[in-house]
Amino acid sequence: MSKSDRQAHYAIRALLVDAADEAGYHPDRLSFIRGLRLVRRQVTDQAAISP
C-alpha cells in the first residue's frame, strides 16, 4: 500500500468516525466500503459541476 493509499484510507476512516459520533454509533458499525462509495460519489458529483 502506497503512502497516498494509506492517507486516503485514514481520511475516509476519520470521516466515518466523525459521522458515527454525530449519529451516536460506534465507528466499527459503519462499513468502510459504503463510506468509500459515498466519498467517491460526492467527489464525482462535485467535479461534474462546471464553474
Side-chain angles (χ1 to χ4, degrees):
M1 185 182 286
S2 71
K3 183 178 179 180
S4 62
D5 288 342
R6 279 192 305 274
Q7 289 174 332
H9 177 88
Y10 289 133
I12 292 168
R13 276 285 173 209
L15 290 171
L16 289 173
V17 168
D18 290 345
D21 188 41
E22 285 185 28
Y25 292 108
H26 191 277
D28 290 341
R29 302 280 301 158
L30 301 180
S31 165
F32 179 81
I33 297 299
R34 291 182 82 178
L36 175 62
R37 288 178 182 151
L38 178 64
V39 168
R40 282 182 178 166
R41 191 168 40 248
Q42 291 295 320
V43 169
T44 56
D45 287 350
Q46 289 179 10
I49 299 171
S50 61

Short mmCIF file of all heavy atoms in Angstrom, two decimals:
data_model
loop_
_atom_site.label_atom_id
_atom_site.label_comp_id
_atom_site.label_asym_id
_atom_site.label_seq_id
_atom_site.Cartn_x
_atom_site.Cartn_y
_atom_site.Cartn_z
N MET A 1 0.85 -1.17 0.00
CA MET A 1 0.00 0.00 0.00
C MET A 1 0.90 1.24 0.00
O MET A 1 1.80 1.35 0.82
CB MET A 1 -0.91 -0.03 1.23
CG MET A 1 -1.90 1.08 1.27
SD MET A 1 -2.95 1.14 2.75
CE MET A 1 -4.06 -0.20 2.46
N SER A 2 0.63 2.13 -0.91
CA SER A 2 1.45 3.34 -1.01
C SER A 2 1.07 4.35 0.07
O SER A 2 0.04 4.22 0.74
CB SER A 2 1.27 3.97 -2.39
OG SER A 2 -0.01 4.54 -2.50
N LYS A 3 1.91 5.35 0.21
CA LYS A 3 1.66 6.38 1.20
C LYS A 3 0.35 7.11 0.92
O LYS A 3 -0.43 7.37 1.84
CB LYS A 3 2.82 7.37 1.22
CG LYS A 3 2.69 8.43 2.28
CD LYS A 3 3.89 9.37 2.29
CE LYS A 3 3.72 10.43 3.33
NZ LYS A 3 4.85 11.35 3.35
N SER A 4 0.07 7.41 -0.33
CA SER A 4 -1.17 8.12 -0.67
C SER A 4 -2.39 7.23 -0.42
O SER A 4 -3.45 7.73 -0.02
CB SER A 4 -1.15 8.62 -2.11
OG SER A 4 -1.05 7.55 -3.02
N ASP A 5 -2.25 5.91 -0.65
CA ASP A 5 -3.34 4.99 -0.35
C ASP A 5 -3.64 4.99 1.15
O ASP A 5 -4.81 4.99 1.56
CB ASP A 5 -3.02 3.56 -0.79
CG ASP A 5 -3.03 3.39 -2.30
OD1 ASP A 5 -3.61 4.24 -3.00
OD2 ASP A 5 -2.44 2.40 -2.77
N ARG A 6 -2.59 4.95 1.96
CA ARG A 6 -2.77 4.97 3.41
C ARG A 6 -3.41 6.27 3.86
O ARG A 6 -4.31 6.27 4.72
CB ARG A 6 -1.43 4.77 4.12
CG ARG A 6 -0.97 3.34 4.20
CD ARG A 6 0.20 3.17 5.15
NE ARG A 6 1.33 4.03 4.85
CZ ARG A 6 2.30 3.75 4.00
NH1 ARG A 6 2.27 2.61 3.34
NH2 ARG A 6 3.29 4.59 3.79
N GLN A 7 -2.99 7.38 3.28
CA GLN A 7 -3.55 8.67 3.65
C GLN A 7 -5.03 8.74 3.30
O GLN A 7 -5.84 9.24 4.08
CB GLN A 7 -2.79 9.80 2.97
CG GLN A 7 -1.40 10.00 3.53
CD GLN A 7 -0.59 11.02 2.75
OE1 GLN A 7 -0.80 11.23 1.56
NE2 GLN A 7 0.33 11.67 3.43
N ALA A 8 -5.39 8.23 2.13
CA ALA A 8 -6.80 8.21 1.73
C ALA A 8 -7.61 7.32 2.67
O ALA A 8 -8.72 7.68 3.07
CB ALA A 8 -6.93 7.72 0.29
N HIS A 9 -7.05 6.16 3.02
CA HIS A 9 -7.72 5.25 3.93
C HIS A 9 -7.99 5.93 5.28
O HIS A 9 -9.10 5.88 5.80
CB HIS A 9 -6.87 3.99 4.14
CG HIS A 9 -7.46 3.02 5.10
ND1 HIS A 9 -8.36 2.06 4.73
CD2 HIS A 9 -7.28 2.88 6.44
CE1 HIS A 9 -8.70 1.37 5.79
NE2 HIS A 9 -8.06 1.84 6.84
N TYR A 10 -6.95 6.57 5.83
CA TYR A 10 -7.11 7.24 7.12
C TYR A 10 -8.08 8.42 7.04
O TYR A 10 -8.82 8.69 7.98
CB TYR A 10 -5.75 7.69 7.66
CG TYR A 10 -4.88 6.55 8.11
CD1 TYR A 10 -3.55 6.47 7.73
CD2 TYR A 10 -5.37 5.52 8.89
CE1 TYR A 10 -2.74 5.42 8.13
CE2 TYR A 10 -4.57 4.47 9.30
CZ TYR A 10 -3.27 4.42 8.91
OH TYR A 10 -2.48 3.38 9.31
N ALA A 11 -8.07 9.12 5.92
CA ALA A 11 -9.01 10.25 5.75
C ALA A 11 -10.45 9.76 5.73
O ALA A 11 -11.33 10.36 6.38
CB ALA A 11 -8.69 11.02 4.47
N ILE A 12 -10.71 8.68 5.03
CA ILE A 12 -12.07 8.12 4.98
C ILE A 12 -12.46 7.60 6.35
O ILE A 12 -13.59 7.80 6.81
CB ILE A 12 -12.18 7.04 3.89
CG1 ILE A 12 -12.03 7.70 2.52
CG2 ILE A 12 -13.50 6.27 4.00
CD1 ILE A 12 -11.85 6.75 1.37
N ARG A 13 -11.54 6.93 7.03
CA ARG A 13 -11.82 6.44 8.39
C ARG A 13 -12.16 7.61 9.31
O ARG A 13 -13.07 7.52 10.13
CB ARG A 13 -10.63 5.68 8.96
CG ARG A 13 -10.59 4.27 8.55
CD ARG A 13 -11.62 3.48 9.33
NE ARG A 13 -11.67 2.14 8.82
CZ ARG A 13 -12.73 1.38 8.84
NH1 ARG A 13 -13.87 1.83 9.33
NH2 ARG A 13 -12.72 0.17 8.35
N ALA A 14 -11.43 8.72 9.19
CA ALA A 14 -11.70 9.90 10.02
C ALA A 14 -13.10 10.44 9.75
O ALA A 14 -13.82 10.82 10.68
CB ALA A 14 -10.65 10.97 9.78
N LEU A 15 -13.50 10.48 8.48
CA LEU A 15 -14.86 10.92 8.14
C LEU A 15 -15.90 9.99 8.74
O LEU A 15 -16.94 10.44 9.25
CB LEU A 15 -15.03 10.97 6.62
CG LEU A 15 -14.28 12.07 5.89
CD1 LEU A 15 -14.38 11.87 4.38
CD2 LEU A 15 -14.81 13.44 6.28
N LEU A 16 -15.63 8.68 8.70
CA LEU A 16 -16.56 7.71 9.27
C LEU A 16 -16.66 7.87 10.79
O LEU A 16 -17.76 7.76 11.35
CB LEU A 16 -16.14 6.28 8.92
CG LEU A 16 -16.32 5.88 7.46
CD1 LEU A 16 -15.71 4.50 7.22
CD2 LEU A 16 -17.78 5.89 7.07
N VAL A 17 -15.54 8.12 11.44
CA VAL A 17 -15.56 8.33 12.89
C VAL A 17 -16.39 9.56 13.24
O VAL A 17 -17.22 9.53 14.16
CB VAL A 17 -14.12 8.45 13.45
CG1 VAL A 17 -14.13 8.96 14.89
CG2 VAL A 17 -13.41 7.12 13.36
N ASP A 18 -16.22 10.65 12.50
CA ASP A 18 -17.00 11.86 12.73
C ASP A 18 -18.49 11.62 12.50
O ASP A 18 -19.32 12.05 13.30
CB ASP A 18 -16.52 13.00 11.84
CG ASP A 18 -15.15 13.54 12.23
OD1 ASP A 18 -14.69 13.23 13.35
OD2 ASP A 18 -14.55 14.25 11.40
N ALA A 19 -18.81 10.93 11.41
CA ALA A 19 -20.21 10.65 11.10
C ALA A 19 -20.83 9.75 12.16
O ALA A 19 -21.98 9.98 12.58
CB ALA A 19 -20.32 9.99 9.73
N ALA A 20 -20.09 8.74 12.61
CA ALA A 20 -20.60 7.83 13.63
C ALA A 20 -20.83 8.58 14.94
O ALA A 20 -21.85 8.37 15.62
CB ALA A 20 -19.63 6.68 13.84
N ASP A 21 -19.91 9.45 15.28
CA ASP A 21 -20.04 10.22 16.52
C ASP A 21 -21.28 11.10 16.49
O ASP A 21 -22.04 11.14 17.45
CB ASP A 21 -18.78 11.06 16.72
CG ASP A 21 -18.74 11.74 18.07
OD1 ASP A 21 -19.11 11.09 19.07
OD2 ASP A 21 -18.33 12.92 18.14
N GLU A 22 -21.51 11.78 15.37
CA GLU A 22 -22.69 12.64 15.24
C GLU A 22 -23.98 11.85 15.30
O GLU A 22 -24.98 12.32 15.83
CB GLU A 22 -22.63 13.43 13.93
CG GLU A 22 -21.64 14.55 13.93
CD GLU A 22 -21.70 15.38 12.67
OE1 GLU A 22 -22.77 15.45 12.03
OE2 GLU A 22 -20.65 15.94 12.31
N ALA A 23 -23.96 10.63 14.76
CA ALA A 23 -25.17 9.80 14.73
C ALA A 23 -25.34 8.97 16.00
O ALA A 23 -26.38 8.32 16.17
CB ALA A 23 -25.13 8.88 13.52
N GLY A 24 -24.33 8.97 16.86
CA GLY A 24 -24.42 8.20 18.09
C GLY A 24 -24.12 6.72 17.92
O GLY A 24 -24.55 5.90 18.73
N TYR A 25 -23.36 6.37 16.88
CA TYR A 25 -22.97 4.99 16.62
C TYR A 25 -21.50 4.79 16.93
O TYR A 25 -20.72 5.73 16.91
CB TYR A 25 -23.19 4.61 15.15
CG TYR A 25 -24.62 4.54 14.73
CD1 TYR A 25 -25.16 5.52 13.90
CD2 TYR A 25 -25.45 3.52 15.14
CE1 TYR A 25 -26.48 5.47 13.49
CE2 TYR A 25 -26.77 3.46 14.75
CZ TYR A 25 -27.28 4.44 13.92
OH TYR A 25 -28.59 4.39 13.53
N HIS A 26 -21.13 3.53 17.17
CA HIS A 26 -19.72 3.20 17.30
C HIS A 26 -19.15 3.14 15.88
O HIS A 26 -19.78 2.59 14.97
CB HIS A 26 -19.56 1.84 18.00
CG HIS A 26 -18.15 1.57 18.39
ND1 HIS A 26 -17.24 1.05 17.51
CD2 HIS A 26 -17.50 1.76 19.55
CE1 HIS A 26 -16.08 0.92 18.11
NE2 HIS A 26 -16.22 1.34 19.37
N PRO A 27 -17.95 3.69 15.64
CA PRO A 27 -17.38 3.72 14.28
C PRO A 27 -17.23 2.35 13.63
O PRO A 27 -17.32 2.24 12.42
CB PRO A 27 -16.01 4.37 14.49
CG PRO A 27 -16.11 5.12 15.75
CD PRO A 27 -17.11 4.40 16.60
N ASP A 28 -17.04 1.31 14.43
CA ASP A 28 -16.91 -0.03 13.86
C ASP A 28 -18.20 -0.54 13.24
O ASP A 28 -18.20 -1.51 12.49
CB ASP A 28 -16.44 -1.03 14.93
CG ASP A 28 -15.00 -0.78 15.34
OD1 ASP A 28 -14.28 -0.11 14.58
OD2 ASP A 28 -14.62 -1.26 16.42
N ARG A 29 -19.31 0.11 13.55
CA ARG A 29 -20.60 -0.31 12.99
C ARG A 29 -20.80 0.20 11.57
O ARG A 29 -21.71 -0.24 10.89
CB ARG A 29 -21.74 0.19 13.87
CG ARG A 29 -21.70 -0.25 15.31
CD ARG A 29 -22.21 -1.63 15.52
NE ARG A 29 -23.59 -1.70 15.07
CZ ARG A 29 -24.19 -2.83 14.75
NH1 ARG A 29 -23.55 -3.95 14.85
NH2 ARG A 29 -25.44 -2.82 14.33
N LEU A 30 -19.97 1.12 11.12
CA LEU A 30 -20.10 1.68 9.78
C LEU A 30 -19.19 0.93 8.81
O LEU A 30 -18.07 0.58 9.13
CB LEU A 30 -19.74 3.16 9.77
CG LEU A 30 -20.58 4.06 10.67
CD1 LEU A 30 -20.12 5.50 10.55
CD2 LEU A 30 -22.05 3.95 10.36
N SER A 31 -19.69 0.70 7.61
CA SER A 31 -18.94 -0.02 6.59
C SER A 31 -17.95 0.90 5.88
O SER A 31 -18.32 1.98 5.39
CB SER A 31 -19.92 -0.58 5.56
OG SER A 31 -19.27 -0.98 4.38
N PHE A 32 -16.69 0.47 5.83
CA PHE A 32 -15.68 1.25 5.13
C PHE A 32 -16.00 1.33 3.64
O PHE A 32 -15.89 2.40 3.03
CB PHE A 32 -14.29 0.63 5.33
CG PHE A 32 -13.22 1.39 4.59
CD1 PHE A 32 -12.68 2.54 5.13
CD2 PHE A 32 -12.77 0.97 3.35
CE1 PHE A 32 -11.71 3.27 4.45
CE2 PHE A 32 -11.80 1.68 2.67
CZ PHE A 32 -11.27 2.83 3.23
N ILE A 33 -16.43 0.22 3.05
CA ILE A 33 -16.74 0.19 1.61
C ILE A 33 -17.89 1.15 1.29
O ILE A 33 -17.82 1.90 0.31
CB ILE A 33 -17.07 -1.24 1.15
CG1 ILE A 33 -15.87 -2.16 1.33
CG2 ILE A 33 -17.56 -1.25 -0.30
CD1 ILE A 33 -14.64 -1.75 0.54
N ARG A 34 -18.91 1.16 2.10
CA ARG A 34 -20.03 2.08 1.85
C ARG A 34 -19.57 3.53 2.01
O ARG A 34 -19.98 4.42 1.26
CB ARG A 34 -21.20 1.77 2.77
CG ARG A 34 -21.85 0.44 2.39
CD ARG A 34 -23.01 0.14 3.24
NE ARG A 34 -24.16 0.86 2.69
CZ ARG A 34 -25.37 0.78 3.19
NH1 ARG A 34 -25.61 0.04 4.24
NH2 ARG A 34 -26.36 1.44 2.63
N GLY A 35 -18.71 3.78 3.00
CA GLY A 35 -18.16 5.12 3.17
C GLY A 35 -17.31 5.54 1.99
O GLY A 35 -17.40 6.67 1.52
N LEU A 36 -16.51 4.61 1.48
CA LEU A 36 -15.69 4.87 0.30
C LEU A 36 -16.56 5.21 -0.90
O LEU A 36 -16.29 6.18 -1.62
CB LEU A 36 -14.81 3.66 -0.01
CG LEU A 36 -13.98 3.71 -1.28
CD1 LEU A 36 -12.98 4.84 -1.23
CD2 LEU A 36 -13.28 2.38 -1.49
N ARG A 37 -17.60 4.44 -1.10
CA ARG A 37 -18.51 4.71 -2.23
C ARG A 37 -19.18 6.06 -2.10
O ARG A 37 -19.34 6.79 -3.10
CB ARG A 37 -19.55 3.60 -2.32
CG ARG A 37 -18.97 2.30 -2.81
CD ARG A 37 -20.00 1.21 -2.84
NE ARG A 37 -19.39 -0.05 -3.26
CZ ARG A 37 -19.82 -1.23 -2.90
NH1 ARG A 37 -20.89 -1.35 -2.11
NH2 ARG A 37 -19.20 -2.32 -3.31
N LEU A 38 -19.57 6.43 -0.89
CA LEU A 38 -20.18 7.73 -0.66
C LEU A 38 -19.21 8.86 -0.97
O LEU A 38 -19.56 9.83 -1.64
CB LEU A 38 -20.68 7.84 0.78
CG LEU A 38 -21.31 9.16 1.17
CD1 LEU A 38 -22.58 9.41 0.36
CD2 LEU A 38 -21.62 9.18 2.64
N VAL A 39 -17.97 8.73 -0.51
CA VAL A 39 -16.96 9.75 -0.79
C VAL A 39 -16.72 9.86 -2.29
O VAL A 39 -16.67 10.96 -2.84
CB VAL A 39 -15.64 9.43 -0.04
CG1 VAL A 39 -14.51 10.31 -0.54
CG2 VAL A 39 -15.83 9.58 1.45
N ARG A 40 -16.58 8.73 -2.97
CA ARG A 40 -16.38 8.76 -4.43
C ARG A 40 -17.54 9.45 -5.14
O ARG A 40 -17.33 10.26 -6.04
CB ARG A 40 -16.26 7.34 -4.97
CG ARG A 40 -14.93 6.72 -4.74
CD ARG A 40 -14.89 5.34 -5.35
NE ARG A 40 -13.60 4.72 -5.19
CZ ARG A 40 -13.39 3.44 -5.40
NH1 ARG A 40 -14.37 2.64 -5.76
NH2 ARG A 40 -12.19 2.94 -5.22
N ARG A 41 -18.77 9.13 -4.71
CA ARG A 41 -19.94 9.74 -5.34
C ARG A 41 -19.95 11.25 -5.12
O ARG A 41 -20.22 12.02 -6.04
CB ARG A 41 -21.20 9.09 -4.78
CG ARG A 41 -22.45 9.44 -5.52
CD ARG A 41 -23.65 8.58 -5.15
NE ARG A 41 -23.77 8.27 -3.73
CZ ARG A 41 -23.62 7.05 -3.21
NH1 ARG A 41 -23.32 6.03 -3.97
NH2 ARG A 41 -23.79 6.85 -1.92
N GLN A 42 -19.63 11.69 -3.90
CA GLN A 42 -19.62 13.12 -3.61
C GLN A 42 -18.55 13.84 -4.43
O GLN A 42 -18.79 14.93 -4.95
CB GLN A 42 -19.37 13.35 -2.12
CG GLN A 42 -20.51 12.92 -1.23
CD GLN A 42 -21.76 13.72 -1.46
OE1 GLN A 42 -21.72 14.93 -1.65
NE2 GLN A 42 -22.89 13.06 -1.46
N VAL A 43 -17.38 13.24 -4.55
CA VAL A 43 -16.29 13.86 -5.30
C VAL A 43 -16.64 13.96 -6.78
O VAL A 43 -16.43 15.01 -7.40
CB VAL A 43 -14.96 13.10 -5.09
CG1 VAL A 43 -13.90 13.56 -6.06
CG2 VAL A 43 -14.49 13.25 -3.65
N THR A 44 -17.17 12.89 -7.35
CA THR A 44 -17.51 12.93 -8.78
C THR A 44 -18.68 13.85 -9.04
O THR A 44 -18.72 14.53 -10.08
CB THR A 44 -17.81 11.53 -9.33
OG1 THR A 44 -18.84 10.92 -8.57
CG2 THR A 44 -16.56 10.65 -9.29
N ASP A 45 -19.64 13.93 -8.12
CA ASP A 45 -20.77 14.85 -8.29
C ASP A 45 -20.27 16.30 -8.27
O ASP A 45 -20.71 17.13 -9.06
CB ASP A 45 -21.82 14.65 -7.21
CG ASP A 45 -22.62 13.38 -7.39
OD1 ASP A 45 -22.50 12.73 -8.46
OD2 ASP A 45 -23.38 13.02 -6.47
N GLN A 46 -19.34 16.61 -7.39
CA GLN A 46 -18.82 17.97 -7.32
C GLN A 46 -17.97 18.30 -8.54
O GLN A 46 -17.98 19.43 -9.01
CB GLN A 46 -18.00 18.15 -6.04
CG GLN A 46 -18.85 18.20 -4.79
CD GLN A 46 -18.03 18.37 -3.54
OE1 GLN A 46 -16.84 18.64 -3.59
NE2 GLN A 46 -18.68 18.21 -2.40
N ALA A 47 -17.27 17.31 -9.06
CA ALA A 47 -16.43 17.53 -10.24
C ALA A 47 -17.30 17.76 -11.49
O ALA A 47 -16.86 18.41 -12.43
CB ALA A 47 -15.50 16.36 -10.47
N ALA A 48 -18.50 17.23 -11.47
CA ALA A 48 -19.39 17.37 -12.62
C ALA A 48 -19.97 18.78 -12.74
O ALA A 48 -20.45 19.16 -13.80
CB ALA A 48 -20.52 16.35 -12.55
N ILE A 49 -19.92 19.53 -11.67
CA ILE A 49 -20.44 20.90 -11.69
C ILE A 49 -19.38 21.82 -12.29
O ILE A 49 -18.28 21.94 -11.77
CB ILE A 49 -20.80 21.37 -10.26
CG1 ILE A 49 -21.88 20.46 -9.66
CG2 ILE A 49 -21.24 22.82 -10.27
CD1 ILE A 49 -22.14 20.72 -8.19
N SER A 50 -19.73 22.44 -13.38
CA SER A 50 -18.75 23.32 -14.02
C SER A 50 -18.76 24.70 -13.36
O SER A 50 -19.80 25.19 -12.94
CB SER A 50 -19.04 23.45 -15.52
OG SER A 50 -20.32 23.99 -15.71
N PRO A 51 -17.60 25.34 -13.28
CA PRO A 51 -17.51 26.67 -12.61
C PRO A 51 -18.17 27.77 -13.42
O PRO A 51 -18.43 27.74 -14.53
CB PRO A 51 -16.03 26.90 -12.48
CG PRO A 51 -15.32 25.89 -13.29
CD PRO A 51 -16.32 24.86 -13.68
#
